[in-house]
Amino acid sequence: MRVVVDLSRCEGYAQCAFLAPDAFRMHGEEALMYDPNADDARREQVLRAAAACPVQAILVDRLEGRAAPSEASTP
């Protein structure tokens, strides 16, 4: 999966770091560090972290070329 954080929108609330510490971490008090190619095994945590972001600065997308089963059968 691909993770993108709009760092100009991020205000450092760190909810993502609490919910998905393997994918997000705070560097200092305000700088967010994150894994843009988070492992699919952490997908549920990353999705929860994105949903918990008070300013909705986190976008999570699947990697291109991995179609969901319902999309794969669509002509």
Side-chain angles (χ1 to χ4, degrees), residues 11-71:
E11 295 192 12
Y13 290 107
Q15 295 301 308
C16 57
F18 290 121
L19 293 169
D22 291 334
F24 304 95
R25 72 180 192 286
M26 296 303 294
H27 184 71
E29 291 185 28
E30 295 183 8
L32 177 68
M33 305 294 286
Y34 68 98
D35 180 0
N37 297 307
D39 186 358
D40 279 338
R42 295 184 269 172
R43 185 170 187 77
E44 199 63 36
Q45 285 182 333
V46 171
L47 289 173
R48 286 186 186 144
C53 179
V55 295
Q56 299 298 297
I58 304 169
L59 174 67
V60 180
D61 197 6
R62 69 175 180 271
L63 290 175
E64 293 179 26
R66 291 186 180 180
S70 62
E71 292 176 343

